[in-house]
Amino acid sequence: MRPFTYVRAQEVGEAAGQPGRFLAGGTTLIDLMKLDVERPAQVTDITALPLVDIAEHGGGVRIGALASMAQVADHPLIAARYPALRNALLAGASQQIRNMASMGGNVMQRTRCPYFRDTSFTACNKREPGSGCGAIAGHHRKQAVLGTSDACVALHPSDASVALVAYGAILTLRGPDGEREVSLEDFNLLPGQTPHLEHDLREGELITAITLPAPPAGSGVYLKVRDRESYEFALSSCAALLDVQDGVIRAARVVLGGVGTKPWRSPEAEAALTGQPATRETFENAARRALAGATPLEQNAFKVPLTARVIVRALLAAQAGEAADGHGDGQTADQGGRA
């Protein structure tokens, strides 16, 4: 780890505008600093800021950015109104990490691509713009199949962000020029030719809150399939929100994880569902539409049929009103994509 200046902020206004990086739970930043991937000249500790409340807000819920993953998962408002978010939080990391990691930090966490995290690999456009993408010609089994480019195929790792996008989460950002709001769906950027630009956060800005609008009608689930049952990132996941009345789908949200360079909402799947009968055939058609634009590489091509099955299973669970446990019903998947 390289030398850096340490600053401890006591108020939001004091933190806003500080250069370098903000330290909350530290479960991502400190790792990356130890790996020499992150090299901030200054680290501003924001753990003392009053940003931990979880409360009703305009029919929805407002979550302080420093609330931990565990606090949010255990909160009765989240359990009752946003079950897919609770399931996604419980499916992520370990209990110890969930106790430490902040919601703002979870949204901001960076890819686990080994070519990004290991500086002995020189080709990583996300770490060193213009150096190339080592994963494309190298090991890419766990990388993205949606939203990729010839400059980057790095996977977005957050479970919680998938469910947050499904529920229409809005981020409140505070910077030296004041406060602004941006939807989480728009906050994360596609890699294109600039994969080092990962999000719409300006210099000196920090996330102060995550606001969920009033929960939609119907039910929601988060389903995750991975190589092992715990402490593992998704090979494929789906947050599915479904409002079915008299056997007809009135509204739907489908957001995918484990397959996109950002939490991947599929308007194509949602359009294929809305107004249609709530049947397996309809769900299978929606899954095909969701994955029509996938561009897999040799080692991760299995993610396409795997994800199609995950989407169908999630929609069936949402239709039945099941409170999916977020763990893929204990399912794991091998390289062939069985689930």
Side-chain angles (χ1 to χ4, degrees):
M1 186 181 293
R2 303 188 181 207
F4 59 89
T5 300
Y6 173 84
V7 175
R8 184 172 173 83
Q10 300 294 329
E11 298 179 357
V12 175
E14 179 186 358
Q18 292 287 347
R21 294 287 186 266
F22 295 110
L23 175 67
T27 57
T28 294
L29 176 63
I30 300 302
D31 278 353
L32 293 178
M33 290 175 66
K34 289 179 178 179
L35 292 170
D36 204 31
V37 174
E38 289 271 10
R39 305 169 182 175
Q42 176 175 309
V43 172
T44 301
D45 187 335
I46 59 173
T47 55
L49 302 186
L51 300 175
V52 296
D53 290 343
I54 305 167
E56 297 213 36
H57 181 82
V61 174
R62 185 179 176 92
I63 301 168
L66 293 181
S68 72
M69 294 171 64
Q71 288 173 316
V72 177
D74 290 341
H75 199 281
L77 286 175
I78 302 302
R81 300 183 186 180
Y82 307 94
L85 175 57
R86 182 176 190 272
N87 295 338
L89 287 165
L90 293 177
S94 65
Q95 182 64 53
Q96 293 91 335
I97 290 178
R98 293 196 297 269
N99 287 340
M100 288 294 297
S102 70
M103 289 298 294
N106 187 284
V107 166
M108 289 287 293
Q109 69 176 295
R110 306 191 72 184
T111 184
R112 263 59 181 181
C113 176
Y115 297 92
F116 169 74
R117 294 174 66 86
D118 188 342
T119 56
S120 67
F121 294 114
T122 58
C124 176
N125 287 318
K126 190 175 285 292
R127 191 181 68 244
E128 298 290 344
S131 63
C133 177
I136 290 177
H139 185 70
H140 50 254
R141 176 178 179 267
K142 293 189 176 183
Q143 300 308 324
V145 299
L146 290 166
T148 62
S149 71
D150 60 2
C152 186
V153 295
L155 180 72
H156 190 281
S158 172
D159 288 295
S161 289
V162 177
L164 287 169
V165 169
Y167 284 119
I170 301 294
L171 303 182
T172 301
L173 311 177
R174 175 72 180 272
D177 297 324
E179 194 171 87
R180 65 187 180 105
E181 294 185 338
V182 60
S183 72
L184 180 55
E185 184 177 356
D186 294 332
F187 179 75
N188 294 291
L189 305 178
L190 293 173
Q193 297 304 305
T194 55
H196 60 291
L197 302 177
E198 299 177 0
H199 46 68
D200 180 24
L201 194 70
R202 299 167 186 167
E203 179 67 26
E205 281 188 328
L206 71 155
I207 301 171
T208 58
I210 302 170
T211 302
L212 298 171
S219 59
V221 301
Y222 179 77
L223 186 65
K224 177 178 180 177
V225 172
R226 45 193 161 177
D227 282 327
R228 57 189 181 191
E229 292 186 13
S230 65
Y231 200 51
E232 181 65 280
F233 294 98
L235 288 175
S236 177
S237 68
C238 179
L241 310 184
L242 209 58
D243 179 16
V244 179
Q245 297 184 25
D246 299 323
V248 176
I249 302 167
R250 298 288 298 273
R253 287 282 180 95
V254 175
V255 184
L256 305 177
V259 291
T261 54
K262 58 184 285 187
W264 196 263
R265 184 179 174 189
S266 177
E268 299 85 0
E270 294 168 7
L273 292 165
T274 306
Q276 299 301 310
T279 64
R280 177 179 282 272
E281 181 180 7
T282 296
F283 299 159
E284 290 174 346
N285 179 52
R288 287 191 292 270
R289 295 281 297 276
L291 295 161
T295 54
L297 299 170
E298 180 182 3
Q299 297 167 14
N300 65 6
F302 75 94
K303 284 192 174 189
V304 178
L306 173 63
T307 302
R309 291 193 288 274
V310 169
I311 293 170
V312 172
R313 284 177 55 196
L315 289 169
L316 286 168
Q319 177 192 14
E322 296 176 5
D325 62 8
H327 296 267
D329 299 327
Q331 295 284 344
T332 57
D334 64 16
Q335 189 161 349
R338 292 192 298 271

